[in-house]
């Protein structure tokens, strides 16, 4: 099964689509990703990337999978790709549009909201399958989807939590009852409720809030903590995602908060999956679906959103709970995670759904000219699984930079091999073990293994990093 993931964000940015891509590859799918230059959350392009760089890729596949975070308009290129390749289009809805625009205050004009609604309805109805990350999304998405089927597929947890933390944590907490919040520090997180609860808990000096992350409310939080003299609130900043398992493992409890609104009550924050995987008790200050997950998992306590008094009371209850009971809550959450949110389990289910969808539609039209998208996407990643692909018809072996292939003593093993432009003068960086990973050339994936790495170096390219992610552009 070939899958093209279309997402505004991807590794090295920290989004759940990273786990989805890697897990799909691990269950046997051949995955490519079209994405933008990494810049989240600060809006500055990461070191080693260029804002105006572009990449090329050829794709003739079975499924185009759109990671539908805001803005949902990023699904529009998916229609272009589907038209050119004949592949099925699946949109995974992560945020409700236009409702989320109205809730966050980004857009309030009713005429503009009506226009957005019309566009979203068109996107939904022209897709082949819609997936939603929360069961609470089902009624609202179905109301706009027409005959397009809508199904529930939750966000997975992070693969990093599948292994036990090793080494010294990047952040070590002081002794006491440490309540950890990890993630985006934004408006919808209702962080003023957290500060109000911290004020109510001054009489418990061993209770400490540790808010890890960054976002639009980060500077405001720092000013408020100083203004209110909250010595029980710490703001260590944003830390790498791979460091979080060891940090969360130290927490006495993990905190998730959301603003109070009908739309937010239908959302399951992705940090809940990470918290369940960490095996620590959870305190939820939120309504609806997110609170239901905590209750169903028996993993902690939940209280109404934006209620500082109820949040403080919930923390007092956990603070006075015996350690064995806290441990039981954490283990119950971990078991719930393994059953409902483990990445491998969800990837297997998703790959089977893709297979069923393609079988129902019939195979993509083989006479289509492969699309070479340039311009609307500025970075391409490929997570490849096969190192013994068949020779693609029309492969330009005589122009391959690998001498053994040109001499005829070795065959090109990659069905998407397009190495003829490898010496085009455009420098690229490649991630992977040069002896194990398929390494990509500027014009597409080149020969796998050490011969490819040698060819890459011969043309001034650089090989580095972890297996499984291949930056392209």
């Amino acid at each position: 099964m070939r899958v093209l993931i279309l997402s505004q964000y991807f590794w090295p940015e920290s989004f759940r689509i990273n786990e989805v891509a890697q897990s799909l590859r691990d269950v046997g799918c051949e995955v490519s990703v079209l994405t933008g230059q990494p810049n989240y959350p600060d809006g500055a392009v990461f070191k080693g990337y260029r804002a105006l760089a572009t990449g090329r890729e050829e794709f003739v596949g079975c499924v185009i999978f759109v990671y539908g975070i805001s803005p949902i308009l990023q699904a529009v290129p998916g229609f272009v790709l589907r038209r050119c390749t004949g592949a099925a289009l699946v949109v995974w809805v992560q945020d409700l549009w236009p409702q989320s625009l109205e809730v966050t205050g980004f857009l309030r004009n009713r005429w503009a909201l009506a226009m957005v609604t019309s566009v979203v309805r068109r996107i939904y109805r022209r897709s082949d399958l819609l997936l939603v990350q929360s069961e609470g999304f089902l009624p609202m998405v179905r109301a706009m989807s027409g005959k397009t089927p809508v199904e529930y597929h939750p966000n997975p947890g992070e693969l990093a939590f599948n292994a036990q933390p090793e080494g010294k944590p990047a952040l070590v907490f002081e002794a006491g009852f440490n309540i950890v919040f990890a993630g985006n520090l934004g408006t919808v997180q209702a962080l003023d409720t957290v500060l109000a609860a911290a004020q109510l808990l001054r009489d418990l000096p061993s209770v400490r809030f540790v808010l890890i992350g960054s976002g639009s409310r980060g500077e405001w939080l720092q000013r408020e903590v100083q203004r209110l003299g909250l010595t029980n609130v710490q703001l260590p900043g944003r830390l790498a995602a791979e460091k979080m398992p060891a940090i969360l493992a130290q927490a006495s409890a993990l905190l998730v908060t959301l603003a109070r609104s009908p739309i937010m009550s239908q959302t399951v924050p992705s940090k809940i999956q990470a918290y369940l995987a960490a095996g620590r008790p959870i305190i939820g200050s939120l309504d609806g679906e997110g609170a239901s997950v905590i209750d169903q998992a028996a993993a902690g306590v939940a209280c109404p959103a934006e209620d500082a008094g109820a949040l403080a009371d919930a923390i007092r209850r956990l603070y006075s709970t015996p350690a064995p009971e806290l441990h039981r809550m954490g283990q119950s959450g971990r078991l719930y995670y393994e059953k409902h949110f483990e990445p491998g389990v969800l990837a297997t289910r998703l790959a089977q759904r893709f297979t069923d969808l393609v079988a129902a539609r019939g195979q993509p039209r083989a006479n289509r000219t492969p699309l070479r998208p340039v311009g609307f996407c500025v970075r391409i990643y490929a997570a490849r699984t096969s190192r013994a692909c068949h020779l693609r018809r029309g492969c330009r072996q005589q122009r391959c930079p690998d001498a053994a292939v040109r001499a005829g003593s070795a065959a090109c093993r990659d069905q998407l091999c397009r190495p003829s432009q490898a010496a085009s003068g455009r420098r690229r960086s490649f991630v992977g073990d040069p002896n194990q990973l398929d390494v990509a050339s500027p014009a597409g994936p080149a020969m796998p293994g050490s011969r490819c790495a040698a060819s890459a170096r011969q043309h001034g390219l650089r090989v580095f990093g972890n297996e499984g992610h291949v930056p392209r552009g």
Side-chain angles (χ1 to χ4, degrees):
M1 170 65 66
R2 293 183 182 178
V3 179
L4 173 65
I5 295 177
L6 180 61
S7 173
Q8 181 176 347
Y9 303 109
F10 194 65
W11 183 92
E13 297 158 305
S14 182
F15 282 84
R16 286 297 182 271
I17 194 63
N18 302 346
E19 277 72 25
V20 173
Q22 186 171 343
S23 298
L24 284 173
R25 183 199 63 180
D26 291 343
V27 298
C29 293
E30 184 176 328
V31 182
S32 298
V33 180
L34 267 63
T35 186
Q37 295 286 4
N39 64 87
Y40 183 88
D42 299 323
V45 176
F46 286 16
K47 185 178 180 180
Y49 299 86
R50 293 180 298 155
L52 300 180
T54 59
R56 286 185 180 225
E57 178 63 87
E58 290 188 357
F59 175 74
V60 180
C62 301
V63 175
I64 300 166
F65 186 43
V66 178
Y67 182 54
I69 58 175
S70 295
I72 193 63
L73 298 178
Q74 65 184 287
V76 173
F79 294 109
V80 179
L81 293 168
R82 183 181 67 170
R83 184 175 182 83
C84 295
T85 65
L89 179 63
V90 180
V91 178
W92 192 14
V93 179
Q94 297 288 314
D95 297 308
L96 292 173
W97 268 47
Q99 295 92 333
S100 59
L101 293 175
E102 189 173 9
V103 168
T104 58
F106 186 80
L107 190 62
R108 297 189 182 276
N109 183 280
R110 63 188 184 95
W111 297 107
L113 289 170
M115 291 178 61
V116 173
T117 301
S118 177
V119 173
V120 173
R121 183 181 294 113
R122 193 177 185 88
I123 290 173
Y124 287 173
R125 295 188 177 190
R126 290 198 172 189
S127 300
D128 295 296
L129 174 65
L130 296 171
L131 302 176
V132 295
Q133 61 99 334
S134 167
E135 291 183 296
F137 283 14
L138 288 170
M140 286 173 279
V141 174
R142 282 173 176 162
M144 301 174 65
S145 64
K147 296 181 179 180
T148 304
V150 184
E151 301 174 8
Y152 168 61
H153 184 79
N155 282 312
E158 296 185 30
L159 290 170
F161 286 95
N162 287 356
Q164 291 297 321
E166 297 181 358
K168 184 179 179 180
L171 178 66
V172 178
F173 301 144
E174 300 177 23
F177 195 82
N178 293 290
I179 302 168
V180 178
F181 175 101
N184 184 46
L185 305 179
T187 302
V188 298
Q189 280 70 41
L191 296 169
D192 50 335
T193 304
V194 178
L195 298 189
Q199 289 181 282
L200 296 174
L201 294 168
R202 291 179 189 265
D203 59 308
L204 297 177
S206 61
V207 173
R208 187 178 302 106
F209 293 84
V210 184
L211 309 183
I212 303 172
S214 61
S216 60
R217 300 276 276 176
E219 294 184 359
W220 175 85
L221 276 172
Q222 292 179 352
R223 293 195 301 268
E224 284 297 290
V225 168
Q226 293 180 357
R227 184 180 69 84
L228 298 172
L230 294 175
T231 58
N232 57 348
V233 177
Q234 297 179 358
L235 300 168
R238 181 169 174 252
L239 299 172
E242 59 271 18
K243 305 292 185 182
M244 294 311 300
I247 294 173
L248 298 187
Q250 305 173 68
S252 304
L254 301 170
L255 176 63
V256 55
T257 60
L258 273 183
R260 181 191 297 128
S261 80
I263 300 305
M264 291 297 105
S265 68
Q266 306 303 320
T267 299
V268 178
S270 59
K271 63 168 57 67
I272 287 183
Q273 285 89 326
Y275 287 179
L276 292 170
R280 307 302 299 162
I282 301 175
I283 303 171
S285 174
L286 71 174
D287 302 322
E289 293 296 316
S292 295
V293 171
I294 297 173
D295 291 338
Q296 291 170 13
V301 295
C303 62
E306 296 193 45
D307 189 333
L311 176 58
D313 290 341
I315 293 172
R316 289 181 188 277
R317 290 202 303 273
L318 275 191
Y319 177 73
S320 60
T321 299
E325 178 62 16
L326 293 177
H327 179 75
R328 186 204 62 78
M329 289 181 183
Q331 292 305 302
S332 177
R334 176 70 192 191
L335 291 174
Y336 190 89
Y337 162 82
E338 291 174 352
K339 182 177 180 180
H340 296 278
F341 301 121
E342 201 281 321
V345 173
L346 292 178
T348 300
R349 186 189 309 169
L350 185 61
Q352 183 59 52
R353 187 63 186 90
F354 288 165
T355 300
D356 295 342
L357 177 63
V358 170
R361 293 179 74 253
Q363 293 297 321
R365 286 161 284 185
N367 59 347
R368 289 276 188 179
T369 301
L371 178 68
R372 299 177 182 175
V374 179
F376 67 83
C377 67
V378 295
R379 181 168 58 106
I380 297 179
Y381 280 80
R384 306 297 304 280
T385 179
S386 173
R387 299 192 184 97
C389 300
H390 297 292
L391 174 63
R392 182 184 175 208
R393 181 180 180 183
C395 176
R396 304 179 183 179
Q397 292 189 65
Q398 297 307 312
R399 298 177 63 182
C400 182
D402 192 293
V405 173
R406 292 199 307 270
S409 60
C412 172
R413 294 172 291 168
D414 196 316
Q415 61 183 350
L416 296 179
C417 180
R418 293 278 299 185
S420 58
Q421 300 179 32
S424 61
R426 297 164 64 185
R427 295 182 62 85
R428 303 296 178 100
S429 296
F430 300 96
V431 175
D433 181 337
N435 295 312
Q436 297 183 14
L437 181 66
D438 291 1
V439 184
S441 77
M447 292 285 295
S450 59
R451 292 209 307 270
C452 178
S455 297
R457 294 189 183 96
Q458 177 184 349
H459 293 286
L461 306 179
R462 185 161 52 99
V463 181
F464 63 94
N466 300 318
E467 180 173 356
H469 302 285
V470 183
R472 316 282 285 286

